[in-house]
């Protein structure tokens, strides 16, 4: 690994540890190996959003050309968000692609992702299904996102109606996450979800 | 001591011979008959002592001598002005002198009646003392007879006063006692041009100042400003400059002193500037590699200054960022921190804070580049795509400069609107750093440029 990248990640680590966001438990970075190429990030769901109370884990891969190229970041925790793939966790965020700047750091990236959670960009979607729901039925989107946060990110809001519907699909032999994804995609319409799953 | 020996040596010459090239005593004179130039030469040697700060005192008139009680007498470092000495002597002394003089003259003329004349003199003194006391009494009583008595007294003293007139401008003591308010003002005797010079003047004549001013400083003074052969060296030695702490100030040449002083101040300002530059650069870290730039490896301790914003990067990082081909031009032309676009990066040894410093830096950079031949123009053999916007020198082998005109534009853009022109320019700038890259790899080339830019010292 290029010396400059490792050196910088080391320095950034110190910066993140000292930062007030860590003190407020808003962001967190952990090392996964000694070569500073793979890291684990964590961000707290921002307040007044469906993600409130959730804790989202991220996979951060630092390229050799860092900081001249952006780190590769994706969500490990499953999340219902127009700019994040509900399947792969891939993130659509300009600064992680063509708008990267060499002065950006892990801290600013994590904070940007946190900001992305509170301000989705449905016109530049990563997940078209989620984006459509966001635009057509915001209430349904918020309900779904809150449910996902509860199930995968440890959010406090339990939705018994959703759980009921998932349970019925699971009883039909469908895997739990598959059932949740199908139901979420069809605005929790059990019939259409079943139809889609068995077609 | 060597010093006092020299003084004595100086005083051994005859002042009459010095002034008139003729001495009344002739061969019988006790003092050496030295020509004027010889004395002045000795004076030069003595002036070496200036550097020890001693002779200067000799220019001033000794105030104890003026009062007539200088205990150093001939050996005093201050000037004993022989010519005007008697007027400075206290009244009582001169009175005695005059009495003695008259006494002597009487003796010479009237040898047989010595006792008689001495009697007369004694009587005179007694009389005068009497009148002095009388006068005082009269003053106190405000006696109307005062005027008459004064006349009487002045008649008595007439002879003495006449004698004194030439030597002393101060009024007689008793008239001071009389009415000191009305005493005539002290007027020094006018100094005539033709007047013979005193010892002190002979040793420090005015014309010597000019000769001295043109004398060269000792060439054997080494780097520390110290002459190894100080005691025997016949050259002039400089005084200590308190700024550079070298013995370099010419003792007589005011112009040289002033010039040296200005140089020292300039040097001092430069040093201050440098230490300020270091102080403000010391803590600065690069926004890309996060390293403190002044603590990087030697050769990488260079700042890359962006003209349009105030973010700090090391030269290698900002150059690398601007060469990142995976992003759009707009992104890499922009500051990695604030995304303000800058057309070029200016290398610098130190961080610049103020707008003025930055402008100066960039001007210097452009000036330096404009002296280097453009690698595209090739002294007229090639064609520079940047036209007259190029920072480098477009000159033919004979040195004549060439205006190649504005950079070529594509015809279809012409006249559409100015935005496209600007875009065109930005596109051209894009090549600049790329073009700088081989230039950067030529370490020597760069080093001499950088050192050219930042010759603080």
């Amino acid at each position: 690994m290029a010396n400059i990248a490792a050196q910088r990640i080391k320095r950034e680590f110190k910066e993140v540890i000292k930062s007030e966001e860590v003190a407020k438990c808003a962001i967190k970075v952990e090392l996964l190996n000694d070569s500073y190429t793979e890291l684990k990030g964590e961000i707290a769901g921002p307040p007044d959003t469906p993600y409130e109370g959730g804790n989202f884990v991220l996979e951060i891969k630092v390229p050799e050309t860092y900081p001249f190229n952006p780190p590769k970041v994706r969500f490990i925790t499953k999340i219902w968000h127009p700019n994040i793939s509900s399947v792969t966790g891939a993130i659509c965020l300009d600064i992680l692609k063509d708008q990267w700047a060499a002065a950006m750091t892990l801290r600013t990236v994590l904070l940007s992702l946190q900001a992305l959670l509170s301000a989705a960009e449905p016109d530049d979607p990563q997940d078209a299904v989620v984006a459509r729901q966001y635009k057509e039925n915001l209430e349904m989107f918020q309900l779904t996102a809150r449910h996902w946060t509860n199930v995968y990110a440890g959010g406090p809001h339990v939705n018994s109606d959703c759980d009921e519907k998932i349970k019925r699909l699971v009883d039909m032999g469908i895997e739990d996450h598959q059932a949740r994804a199908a139901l979420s995609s069809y605005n929790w319409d059990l019939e259409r979800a079943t139809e889609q799953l068995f077609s | 001591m060597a010093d006092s020996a020299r003084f004595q040596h100086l005083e051994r010459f005859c002042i009459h011979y010095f002034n008139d090239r003729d001495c009344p005593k002739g061969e019988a004179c006790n003092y050496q008959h030295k020509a004027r130039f010889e004395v002045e030469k000795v004076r030069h040697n003595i002036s070496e002592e200036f550097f020890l700060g001693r002779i200067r005192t000799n220019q001033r008139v000794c105030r104890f001598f003026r009062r007539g009680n200088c205990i150093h007498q001939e050996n005093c470092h201050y000037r004993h002005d022989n010519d005007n000495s008697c007027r400075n002597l206290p009244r009582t002394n001169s009175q005695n002198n005059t009495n003695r003089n008259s006494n002597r003259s009487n003796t010479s003329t009237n040898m047989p009646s010595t006792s008689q004349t001495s009697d007369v003199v004694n009587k005179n003194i007694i009389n005068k003392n009497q009148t002095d006391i009388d006068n005082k009494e009269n003053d106190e009583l405000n006696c109307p007879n005062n005027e008459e008595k004064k006349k009487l007294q002045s008649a008595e003293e007439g002879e003495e006063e006449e004698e004194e007139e030439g030597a002393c401008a101060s009024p007689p003591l008793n008239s001071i006692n009389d009415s000191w308010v009305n005493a005539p003002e002290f007027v020094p005797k006018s100094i005539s041009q033709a007047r013979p010079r005193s010892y002190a003047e002979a040793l420090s004549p005015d014309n010597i100042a000019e000769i001295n001013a043109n004398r060269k400083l000792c060439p054997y003074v080494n780097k520390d400003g110290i002459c190894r052969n100080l005691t025997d060296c016949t050259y002039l030695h400089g005084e200590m400059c308190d700024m550079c702490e070298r013995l370099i100030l010419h003792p007589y040449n005011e112009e040289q002193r002033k010039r040296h002083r200005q140089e020292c101040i300039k040097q001092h300002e430069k040093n201050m500037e440098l230490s300020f530059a270091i102080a403000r650069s010391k803590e600065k870290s690069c926004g890309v590699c996060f390293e403190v730039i002044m603590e990087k490896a030697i050769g990488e301790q260079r700042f890359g200054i962006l003209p349009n914003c105030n973010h700090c990067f090391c030269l290698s990082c900002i150059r690398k960022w601007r060469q990142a081909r995976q992003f759009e031009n707009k992104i890499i032309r922009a500051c990695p921190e604030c995304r303000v676009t800058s057309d070029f990066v200016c290398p610098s040894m130190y961080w610049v804070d103020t707008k003025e410093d930055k402008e100066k830096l960039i001007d210097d950079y452009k000036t330096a580049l404009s002296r280097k031949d453009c690698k595209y123009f090739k002294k007229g053999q090639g064609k520079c795509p940047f036209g007259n916007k190029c920072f480098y020198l477009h000159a033919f082998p004979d040195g004549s400069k060439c205006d190649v005109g504005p950079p070529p534009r594509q015809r279809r853009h012409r006249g559409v609107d100015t935005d496209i022109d600007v875009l065109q320019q930005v596109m051209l700038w894009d090549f600049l750093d790329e073009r700088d890259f081989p230039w950067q790899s030529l370490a020597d080339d760069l080093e001499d440029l950088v050192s050219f830019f930042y010759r603080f010292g």
Side-chain angles (χ1 to χ4, degrees):
Chain A
M1 188 175 190
N3 189 37
I4 178 168
Q7 287 296 325
R8 222 190 96 147
I9 293 292
K10 270 184 208 168
R11 285 172 192 272
E12 283 188 39
F13 241 86
K14 287 179 195 159
E15 184 207 40
V16 174
I17 286 161
K18 275 189 288 184
S19 68
E20 55 182 282
E21 289 87 12
V22 168
K24 286 189 285 183
C25 302
I27 61 169
K28 200 162 117 188
V29 181
E30 272 175 45
L31 265 181
L32 290 185
N33 63 7
D34 291 337
S35 63
Y36 294 92
T37 49
E38 282 181 39
L39 299 103
K40 191 179 101 175
E42 253 181 66
I43 54 172
D48 304 319
T49 64
Y51 312 103
E52 187 175 1
N55 207 20
F56 300 89
V57 178
L58 297 142
E59 176 195 82
I60 304 167
K61 281 184 177 164
V62 181
E64 275 193 27
T65 50
Y66 185 81
F68 300 102
N69 279 310
K72 291 178 170 59
V73 187
R74 74 175 187 96
F75 273 86
I76 291 177
T77 307
K78 298 208 177 296
I79 186 168
W80 192 252
H81 187 281
N83 304 110
I84 300 158
S85 166
S86 57
V87 185
T88 61
I91 304 162
C92 176
L93 183 60
D94 55 359
I95 62 150
L96 291 177
K97 291 170 184 166
D98 54 351
Q99 296 291 309
W100 170 252
M104 287 178 176
T105 64
L106 296 177
R107 179 178 153 264
T108 55
V109 165
L110 294 184
L111 292 175
S112 299
L113 287 172
Q114 211 172 25
L116 181 71
L117 295 190
S118 47
E121 291 279 352
D123 292 325
D124 182 23
Q126 176 74 26
D127 194 312
V129 179
V130 185
R132 200 175 63 234
Q133 189 185 57
Y134 184 94
K135 284 170 103 171
E136 287 170 0
N137 192 346
L138 187 64
E139 212 173 304
M140 188 60 74
F141 162 79
Q142 284 173 339
L143 181 146
T144 315
R146 201 173 291 121
H147 172 70
W148 280 53
T149 305
N150 167 244
V151 176
Y152 298 112
H157 300 282
V158 181
N159 190 319
S160 49
D161 184 40
C162 294
D163 288 339
E164 185 92 352
K165 284 175 180 166
I166 292 163
K167 195 168 178 295
R168 288 179 63 181
L169 281 177
V170 169
D171 288 344
M172 282 185 246
I174 307 293
E175 198 255 322
D176 179 79
H177 174 69
Q178 209 181 351
R180 184 171 293 108
L183 280 165
S184 300
S185 305
Y186 291 100
N187 294 346
W188 300 95
D189 185 329
L190 189 59
E191 259 178 55
R192 285 180 66 194
T194 318
E195 197 177 300
Q196 191 257 327
L197 283 167
F198 290 98
S199 62
Chain B
M1 255 180 81
D3 299 356
S4 56
R6 266 189 205 166
F7 279 115
Q8 280 164 16
H9 173 65
L10 276 172
E11 281 157 12
R12 266 185 230 134
F13 70 87
C14 172
I15 194 70
H16 298 292
Y17 189 84
F18 175 84
N19 282 317
D20 309 328
R21 306 199 102 217
D22 183 38
C23 175
K25 289 183 186 169
E27 295 287 302
C29 181
N30 288 331
Y31 296 95
Q32 285 184 36
H33 284 179
K34 283 186 171 229
R36 186 169 288 216
F37 74 89
E38 275 183 284
V39 174
E40 283 170 357
K41 207 170 93 187
V42 175
R43 170 67 195 158
H44 273 319
N45 285 341
I46 279 293
S47 71
E48 321 294 32
E49 304 299 327
F50 206 106
F51 128 86
L52 297 168
R54 304 201 54 182
I55 278 291
R56 197 197 281 273
T57 53
N58 206 18
Q59 309 293 325
R60 290 215 214 121
V61 174
C62 172
R63 62 194 167 103
F64 295 102
F65 181 75
R66 284 176 119 187
R67 280 197 233 145
N69 57 354
C70 175
I71 55 163
H72 298 294
Q73 305 215 342
E74 303 293 288
N75 291 328
C76 179
H77 282 184
Y78 291 89
R79 201 165 77 178
H80 283 193
D81 206 338
N82 298 335
D83 201 44
N84 295 329
S85 57
C86 65
R87 75 144 192 258
N88 297 320
L89 292 174
R91 171 68 190 174
T92 45
N93 279 358
S94 67
Q95 222 173 34
N96 287 343
N97 282 346
T98 44
N99 283 337
R100 219 180 291 136
N101 284 345
S102 57
N103 211 347
R104 212 182 290 150
S105 60
N106 284 343
T107 334
S108 59
T109 48
N110 279 340
M111 268 306 256
S113 57
T114 317
S115 57
Q116 218 180 355
T117 41
S118 63
D119 275 348
V120 172
V121 169
N122 285 344
K123 220 187 211 171
N124 268 351
I125 293 168
I126 293 161
N127 274 350
K128 200 167 63 157
N129 286 347
Q130 191 64 46
T131 44
D132 275 359
I133 296 159
D134 286 351
N135 274 345
K136 276 179 197 162
E137 280 170 2
N138 288 342
D139 272 348
E140 279 161 19
L141 298 168
N142 212 357
C143 180
N145 286 342
N146 199 7
E147 289 292 303
E148 279 180 43
K149 286 210 169 178
K150 231 182 183 176
K151 272 179 196 165
L152 188 83
Q153 181 204 339
S154 61
E156 273 177 2
E157 286 180 344
E159 195 194 353
E160 282 167 19
E161 276 184 20
E162 263 170 48
E163 264 186 21
E164 280 164 10
E165 227 161 74
C168 182
S170 57
L173 189 68
N174 40 13
S175 72
I176 290 175
N177 281 343
D178 247 10
S179 53
W180 57 271
V181 182
N182 298 325
E185 219 172 297
F186 168 73
V187 182
K189 212 169 107 183
S190 63
I191 300 156
S192 65
Q193 290 293 319
R195 192 175 54 91
R197 285 195 268 180
S198 67
Y199 276 111
E201 282 167 326
L203 293 176
S204 61
D206 293 340
N207 63 329
I208 281 195
E210 204 182 320
I211 298 162
N212 278 338
N214 291 327
R215 290 180 68 205
K216 282 185 179 158
L217 291 176
C218 175
Y220 301 110
V221 164
N222 64 15
K223 276 180 191 169
D224 306 321
I226 295 162
C227 173
R228 284 191 193 162
N229 199 14
L230 196 60
T231 44
D232 297 326
C233 182
T234 54
Y235 285 96
L236 198 59
H237 292 101
E239 283 179 83
M240 170 86 81
C241 166
D242 56 2
M243 293 195 80
C244 64
E245 295 188 337
R246 283 158 67 211
L247 296 164
I248 204 162
L249 292 178
H250 198 290
Y252 306 109
N253 190 337
E254 267 309 311
E255 205 179 313
Q256 187 269 355
R257 290 168 80 94
K258 209 188 255 176
R259 201 168 51 232
H260 174 79
R261 185 109 195 125
Q262 278 170 352
E263 278 168 15
C264 260
I265 288 169
K266 222 176 191 176
Q267 184 62 41
H268 181 70
E269 278 170 2
K270 264 186 187 170
N271 290 344
M272 289 300 280
E273 216 173 287
L274 180 63
S275 52
F276 282 140
I278 291 170
R280 66 173 180 259
S281 310
K282 208 167 60 182
E283 305 280 305
K284 290 282 173 190
S285 60
C286 168
V288 174
C289 65
F290 283 21
E291 284 182 61
V292 177
I293 297 171
M294 298 290 264
E295 290 170 12
K296 288 190 82 165
I298 293 172
E300 287 186 18
Q301 299 170 331
R302 285 202 301 274
F303 290 79
I305 309 288
L306 294 174
N308 296 344
C309 71
N310 271 328
H311 291 107
C312 182
F313 304 102
C314 54
L315 186 65
S316 52
C317 281
I318 190 68
R319 282 227 161 107
K320 204 171 173 189
W321 169 247
R322 291 169 76 89
Q323 285 149 14
R325 288 283 153 236
Q326 64 272 35
F327 300 111
E328 281 177 44
N329 274 322
K330 206 184 88 191
I331 297 295
I332 57 170
R333 296 291 116 187
C335 166
E337 303 248 16
C338 65
R339 295 204 193 274
V340 169
T341 306
S342 289
D343 289 335
F344 57 94
V345 183
C346 180
S348 167
M349 293 302 280
Y350 302 100
W351 175 244
V352 285
D353 266 333
T354 61
K355 202 167 165 252
E356 294 76 36
D357 284 351
K358 194 162 171 171
E359 275 168 9
K360 190 183 171 293
L361 172 80
I362 290 168
D363 279 352
D364 288 350
Y365 175 59
K366 286 184 177 173
T367 313
L369 286 192
S370 70
R371 293 201 187 109
K372 286 180 78 77
D373 279 310
C374 174
K375 288 183 168 72
Y376 288 82
F377 188 72
K378 289 177 190 159
K379 296 189 177 182
Q381 298 198 328
K383 197 165 181 285
C384 178
F386 311 103
N388 56 9
K389 296 264 191 288
C390 182
F391 283 175
Y392 289 85
L393 178 66
H394 290 174
F396 295 113
D398 64 352
S400 61
K401 286 188 180 174
C402 167
D403 187 359
V404 293
R409 291 182 196 140
Q410 288 168 12
R411 281 199 176 271
R412 58 194 159 136
H413 287 310
R414 185 166 286 174
V416 176
D417 71 31
T418 48
D419 284 354
I420 287 171
D421 287 355
V422 173
L423 184 76
Q424 192 80 21
Q425 273 185 30
V426 172
M427 298 288 278
L428 283 166
W429 288 121
D430 294 347
F431 293 99
L432 192 70
D433 280 14
E434 195 177 16
R435 204 168 66 132
D436 280 347
F437 189 61
W439 170 86
Q440 187 190 2
S441 65
L442 296 168
D444 293 349
D445 205 354
L446 185 73
E447 281 313 316
D448 81 61
L449 252 177
V450 169
S451 59
F452 174 79
F453 298 149
Y454 287 102
R455 280 178 304 170
F456 270 100

